[in-house]
Amino acid sequence: MAIQANDVTLKSWVEVPAHSDFPIQNLPFGIFSDGGDGRVGVAIGDHVLDLSLLAEVGMFDDLDIPDLSVFYESTLNAFIGLGKATTSSVRNRISQLLQHGNATLSGHEIRQQALIDRKDLKMLMPVKVGDYTDFYSSKEHATNVGTMFRDPENALLPNWTHLPVAYHGRASSIIVSGVPIHRPHGQSKPPEAEQPVFGPTRRLDFELEMAFITGKSTELGTAISTADAEDYIFGFVMFNDWSARDIQAWEYVPLGPFLAKNFASSISPWVVTLDALEPFRIAGPVQDPPVLPYLQISGKRNFDIHLEAAIQPENTTATTVCRTNFRHMYWSINQQLAHHTVNGCNINIGDMYASGTISGSGEEAYGSMLELSWKGTKPLTMADGSDRSFIEDGDVVIFSGYAQHENIRIGFGDLKTKVLPAL
Amino acid sequence: MAIQANDVTLKSWVEVPAHSDFPIQNLPFGIFSDGGDGRVGVAIGDHVLDLSLLAEVGMFDDLDIPDLSVFYESTLNAFIGLGKATTSSVRNRISQLLQHGNATLSGHEIRQQALIDRKDLKMLMPVKVGDYTDFYSSKEHATNVGTMFRDPENALLPNWTHLPVAYHGRASSIIVSGVPIHRPHGQSKPPEAEQPVFGPTRRLDFELEMAFITGKSTELGTAISTADAEDYIFGFVMFNDWSARDIQAWEYVPLGPFLAKNFASSISPWVVTLDALEPFRIAGPVQDPPVLPYLQISGKRNFDIHLEAAIQPENTTATTVCRTNFRHMYWSINQQLAHHTVNGCNINIGDMYASGTISGSGEEAYGSMLELSWKGTKPLTMADGSDRSFIEDGDVVIFSGYAQHENIRIGFGDLKTKVLPAL
């Protein structure tokens, strides 16, 4: 599908630094605050375009938007609920308005007010999350975990290649980049202990994931086919599924992770649309054994998105500890959504669906400290000389990610979270 | 704590049939519709009292409620968000207004309009559920499941007596009594099959549970102590955690139940307040081994609530298949909420926390067909002569429950759900 706004020859009258995550071909949506309530904005270079102001002066009047108040909301839910035809037309309009040579906005009196320096703004949660699901769709990650905790000869459990394994997570504790977390307390049982102990986790970890956000709801009882799944998907954010490994190991049988995960999950603030990622489609791994008919897909359903994780110890520089790619996912987003709804489970606008840790095939491509330090047996060395098996107090964990095509980088912006000591 | 509205000597000028779930001592809150949008009501005998009308004529004017529009909302969230001091004062006021001899309402011109026959109304979901958690807090149930699927000698996993095991469920698919469900499709792997198969579940089951609803939110990072937990709990509903056992058996390792549960969960429409259940406090089972300090409780933290499940095959009478009691729970609601938040996980108004299947010690007291029919090996005989190992198409599953004290029954009303064939 050719989307005009993705044309790599487009240039903007807004200055876009080299290697910016936000050229005119991206135009991700987010919620920003200049001190007051959140409003809807689009990232361009080092700026945010205030869509509420553009709406106010009539720049979306011909786009068939029933109520322009969607641009004044403090979440994107109402905006993305307009439907993909409308949200795509808004993105296309913004692309036109920002194009070099177009004077509608560049020559308008609101130009200065509408284009705000990103460093003067605070980004808020882009959506109100109804339900949140976490998949487990990287074969490399599932294999690593199975090798460490079960049997290297049978690392993948029998169901893994037949269905995209997933579990429900906690929506209330999803926070946006920049919000610090405290090291959580919890119960664990060290191997040498007779009884469980209580205290701050000693094995705090990140999980490098992507998450998609649904933009259309279904009624209970309705299944979404793999062919239709993308009609329901608005866009992506990066996702840090914070994990406390010692708590997890003790609590997770038989019903899955709970307190080891629900103390916080962090997301990047800009929702990159499926439209903007169109040029970066790529085929996923061959699925063998073949999947059941309701999970079969055709066409390119994975996305070539480079991802990195870095750790910045307090008062020093960051060290990149992981370089991986979203293209490695064994189960595509179409399959995830089709599986999730095949039993009639209903979905809502703003629901979030994370991929599970995205590990690649090399040791540098592992998406969690659990794998990178191999359960703490191979600590990593930071640029400042210190070692890391897991995340320490004062560390900032930084995810970055982008798709790249002919020097155009469709990026996600940083996802940064500082870890504070236990309360 | 003596609560005036619980006085067993109170009588109402509204006729309350013998054995009604809704005497003047109960006064549960719910959302009703007479065709239009939902409004807040209270059950009394066979009637619903329309609180929006009472608010309109000033009957709550002295109760320090900042905005009376809470009674016109289509969920209880705003009302219960007023805080327990206020919601308790509203319940006390309604108790006064309904008392024999009080003419304020009985002699008021709105009396006819405000008191509506329950059979002319439809009950809606009482709350908008933010997050939903399901515990696994009945020792008898966990022991039965462990015996069937693992090892009778070590039926309980090592963590079970140390923490209230729980997992996150799907909030979007929680429905109210009266809404039918369709038998869900899914993937399963019969023992004799080489490969998984896809189709309607062959082992549809209920789980008889109670659920509490939180009425107060916390900030991320905040823990709630067992001593403070009840300040955050508004009341209870009955909860049917529908389960597809064949799907569950195949999908649940290693991350827990997912599609086997999230196709639907059904709740009773009336939220019975913690205030109304005050006279029915009872000590729970002795916990051995002793629990960690953050889980220790004092006082009576269980509730003596008789619970039944019945199956009504199409066009015939119902057969009661389970008689159990909420008092059996090993883990109390105080411990559940303290554990849930000990890592800083934040909670919101309207969140729902189900108990897990409530099984008692006798075979008749098992709270699921899985246990009652012992994995299908001991089918139950219905009143019409048919057998049931699991739930069949056309069956209506009916939960009922009440606490009883000196002929006063604090009941929950029926939770009825019809199972329709797969779509």
Side-chain angles (χ1 to χ4, degrees):
Chain A
M1 171 172 36
I3 297 172
Q4 174 59 27
N6 295 345
D7 182 347
V8 294
T9 65
L10 295 181
K11 302 273 180 211
S12 178
W13 51 264
V14 180
E15 192 196 330
V16 176
H19 308 302
S20 171
D21 277 345
F22 306 123
I24 191 171
Q25 290 82 3
N26 191 350
L27 306 179
F29 294 89
I31 299 291
F32 70 92
S33 165
D34 49 10
D37 290 342
R39 301 196 296 281
V40 176
V42 153
I44 176 77
D46 291 335
H47 290 80
V48 171
L49 188 62
D50 180 346
L51 299 198
S52 70
L53 272 181
L54 271 57
E56 202 162 295
V57 298
M59 290 187 185
F60 302 135
D61 277 359
D62 58 328
L63 296 186
D64 200 22
I65 300 172
D67 184 353
L68 291 169
S69 72
V70 296
F71 297 108
Y72 293 90
E73 297 276 338
S74 61
T75 71
L76 291 174
N77 295 51
F79 172 65
I80 66 182
L82 295 172
K84 279 195 141 179
T86 304
T87 56
S88 294
S89 74
V90 170
R91 180 168 173 267
N92 286 332
R93 170 59 46 84
I94 294 164
S95 172
Q96 291 161 3
L97 293 171
L98 291 176
Q99 275 171 43
H100 192 78
N102 185 312
T104 312
L105 176 59
S106 68
H108 197 286
E109 59 179 3
I110 64 154
R111 169 182 167 156
Q112 293 300 327
Q113 208 189 332
L115 208 60
I116 313 165
D117 204 319
R118 275 199 290 129
K119 69 176 181 332
D120 298 333
L121 298 175
K122 188 177 167 187
M123 296 304 297
L124 307 180
M125 274 290 289
V127 287
K128 165 75 180 157
V129 182
D131 275 290
Y132 149 55
T133 298
D134 195 25
F135 285 87
Y136 188 58
S137 290
S138 156
K139 194 171 186 174
E140 290 80 2
H141 172 66
T143 303
N144 286 339
V145 173
T147 300
M148 274 186 265
F149 291 101
R150 284 182 297 270
D151 174 9
E153 300 301 308
N154 295 288
L156 286 183
L157 287 166
N159 59 13
W160 200 92
T161 54
H162 294 285
L163 55 85
V165 171
Y167 65 102
H168 295 295
R170 183 83 185 176
S172 71
S173 54
I174 301 177
I175 52 178
V176 74
S177 176
V179 177
I181 64 167
H182 286 273
R183 177 177 299 273
H185 285 83
Q187 212 182 110
S188 61
K189 188 164 175 294
E192 70 283 3
E194 291 270 313
Q195 294 294 323
V197 297
F198 180 78
T201 176
R202 289 155 303 162
R203 296 192 153 199
L204 182 63
D205 202 356
F206 64 79
E207 292 196 338
L208 177 53
E209 309 193 8
M210 297 289 297
F212 68 82
I213 294 168
T214 44
K216 192 173 167 183
S217 61
T218 59
E219 293 293 320
L220 190 67
T222 309
I224 300 172
S225 68
T226 55
D228 292 342
E230 290 177 19
D231 296 344
Y232 292 81
I233 297 172
F234 176 70
F236 283 101
V237 292
M238 293 189 297
F239 193 97
N240 186 345
D241 177 23
W242 291 100
S243 300
R245 301 301 181 188
D246 43 359
I247 297 171
Q248 187 175 358
W250 173 233
E251 75 170 0
Y252 93 106
V253 284
L255 299 179
F258 183 54
L259 296 191
K261 302 277 192 173
N262 68 12
F263 59 92
S265 309
S266 304
I267 65 169
S268 55
W270 292 106
V271 186
V272 176
T273 62
L274 219 51
D275 281 353
L277 293 168
E278 199 55 41
F280 307 98
R281 286 181 178 278
I282 193 165
V286 173
Q287 293 185 311
D288 180 33
V291 297
L292 282 162
Y294 80 94
L295 289 170
Q296 288 168 9
I297 51 172
S298 60
K300 297 172 178 176
R301 301 298 175 186
N302 277 28
F303 294 90
D304 184 5
I305 301 172
H306 175 78
L307 296 164
E308 294 188 2
I311 298 170
Q312 182 174 18
E314 201 147 30
N315 302 319
T316 177
T317 55
T319 303
T320 299
V321 294
C322 164
R323 291 179 179 84
T324 185
N325 197 299
F326 191 44
R327 65 187 289 176
H328 298 313
M329 304 309 288
Y330 189 85
W331 294 102
S332 66
I333 55 172
N334 304 60
Q335 294 175 314
Q336 289 170 343
L337 198 56
H339 183 66
H340 202 314
T341 61
V342 76
N343 66 348
C345 179
N346 56 327
I347 67 165
N348 286 307
I349 295 163
D351 289 347
M352 199 164 280
Y353 305 78
S355 58
T357 308
I358 302 166
S359 291
S361 55
E363 279 185 30
E364 266 204 6
Y366 294 167
S368 66
M369 291 301 285
L370 178 72
E371 296 162 88
L372 290 161
S373 77
W374 207 255
K375 271 175 103 171
T377 61
K378 299 180 186 176
L380 305 185
T381 304
M382 302 288 101
D384 69 356
S386 63
D387 282 343
R388 285 293 179 285
S389 290
F390 292 95
I391 302 301
E392 307 274 336
D393 290 349
D395 287 355
V396 178
V397 174
I398 307 163
F399 290 178
S400 53
Y402 55 83
Q404 184 133 355
H405 180 58
E406 301 196 11
N407 289 324
I408 304 296
R409 179 176 283 194
I410 305 299
F412 286 79
D414 282 352
L415 165 50
K416 278 192 193 192
T417 312
K418 183 163 188 169
V419 173
L420 303 176
L423 283 168
Chain B
M1 172 173 37
I3 296 172
Q4 174 59 28
N6 295 345
D7 182 346
V8 294
T9 65
L10 296 180
K11 302 275 179 207
S12 178
W13 50 264
V14 179
E15 192 196 329
V16 176
H19 309 302
S20 171
D21 278 345
F22 306 123
I24 192 171
Q25 290 81 3
N26 192 348
L27 305 179
F29 294 89
I31 299 292
F32 71 93
S33 165
D34 48 10
D37 290 342
R39 301 197 297 282
V40 176
V42 153
I44 176 77
D46 290 336
H47 291 79
V48 170
L49 188 62
D50 180 345
L51 300 197
S52 70
L53 272 182
L54 270 56
E56 204 163 293
V57 298
M59 291 187 185
F60 302 135
D61 277 359
D62 57 330
L63 297 184
D64 199 23
I65 300 172
D67 183 353
L68 291 170
S69 72
V70 296
F71 297 108
Y72 293 90
E73 297 276 337
S74 59
T75 70
L76 291 175
N77 295 52
F79 172 66
I80 66 182
L82 294 173
K84 278 194 143 180
T86 304
T87 57
S88 294
S89 74
V90 171
R91 179 168 173 269
N92 287 333
R93 170 59 45 85
I94 294 165
S95 173
Q96 292 161 1
L97 293 171
L98 290 176
Q99 275 171 43
H100 192 79
N102 185 311
T104 313
L105 175 60
S106 68
H108 198 285
E109 60 180 1
I110 64 154
R111 168 182 168 157
Q112 293 301 324
Q113 209 189 333
L115 206 61
I116 314 166
D117 203 319
R118 274 199 290 129
K119 67 178 182 331
D120 297 333
L121 298 175
K122 189 177 165 185
M123 296 305 298
L124 307 181
M125 275 290 288
V127 287
K128 166 76 179 156
V129 182
D131 276 290
Y132 149 54
T133 298
D134 195 25
F135 285 87
Y136 187 57
S137 289
S138 154
K139 193 170 187 177
E140 291 80 2
H141 172 66
T143 303
N144 285 339
V145 173
T147 300
M148 276 187 265
F149 291 102
R150 286 182 297 271
D151 175 6
E153 300 302 307
N154 296 288
L156 286 184
L157 288 165
N159 58 12
W160 200 93
T161 54
H162 294 285
L163 55 85
V165 170
Y167 65 101
H168 294 295
R170 183 84 184 174
S172 71
S173 54
I174 300 176
I175 53 179
V176 74
S177 176
V179 177
I181 64 167
H182 286 273
R183 178 176 297 273
H185 286 84
Q187 216 184 106
S188 60
K189 190 163 174 291
E192 69 284 4
E194 291 270 311
Q195 295 294 324
V197 298
F198 180 78
T201 177
R202 290 157 303 162
R203 295 192 155 199
L204 182 63
D205 202 356
F206 63 79
E207 292 195 337
L208 177 53
E209 309 192 6
M210 296 291 295
F212 69 82
I213 294 168
T214 43
K216 192 172 167 183
S217 60
T218 59
E219 292 293 320
L220 190 67
T222 309
I224 300 172
S225 69
T226 55
D228 291 343
E230 289 177 20
D231 295 344
Y232 292 81
I233 297 172
F234 176 70
F236 283 101
V237 292
M238 293 188 297
F239 193 97
N240 185 344
D241 177 24
W242 291 100
S243 299
R245 301 299 180 189
D246 43 359
I247 297 171
Q248 187 175 357
W250 173 234
E251 75 171 359
Y252 93 107
V253 283
L255 299 180
F258 183 54
L259 295 191
K261 301 275 193 176
N262 68 12
F263 58 91
S265 309
S266 304
I267 64 168
S268 54
W270 293 105
V271 186
V272 176
T273 61
L274 219 52
D275 281 353
L277 293 168
E278 199 55 42
F280 306 98
R281 288 182 177 278
I282 193 165
V286 173
Q287 293 185 312
D288 178 34
V291 298
L292 283 162
Y294 80 94
L295 289 170
Q296 288 168 7
I297 52 173
S298 62
K300 298 173 177 175
R301 301 299 176 184
N302 277 27
F303 294 90
D304 184 5
I305 301 173
H306 175 77
L307 296 164
E308 294 189 3
I311 299 172
Q312 182 175 18
E314 201 147 31
N315 302 319
T316 177
T317 55
T319 303
T320 299
V321 295
C322 164
R323 291 180 179 85
T324 185
N325 196 301
F326 190 45
R327 65 188 288 175
H328 299 314
M329 304 309 289
Y330 189 85
W331 294 102
S332 67
I333 57 173
N334 303 61
Q335 293 175 314
Q336 289 170 342
L337 198 56
H339 183 65
H340 202 315
T341 60
V342 75
N343 66 348
C345 179
N346 56 329
I347 67 165
N348 286 307
I349 295 163
D351 289 347
M352 199 165 280
Y353 305 78
S355 57
T357 307
I358 302 165
S359 292
S361 55
E363 281 187 29
E364 266 203 9
Y366 295 168
S368 67
M369 291 301 285
L370 177 72
E371 294 161 88
L372 289 162
S373 76
W374 207 255
K375 270 177 106 174
T377 60
K378 297 180 185 177
L380 305 185
T381 305
M382 301 288 102
D384 69 355
S386 64
D387 281 345
R388 285 293 179 285
S389 289
F390 292 94
I391 303 301
E392 307 275 336
D393 291 350
D395 288 354
V396 177
V397 174
I398 307 162
F399 290 177
S400 52
Y402 55 83
Q404 184 133 354
H405 181 60
E406 301 196 13
N407 288 321
I408 304 297
R409 178 176 284 193
I410 305 300
F412 286 79
D414 282 352
L415 164 51
K416 278 192 193 192
T417 314
K418 183 163 188 168
V419 174
L420 303 175
L423 283 167

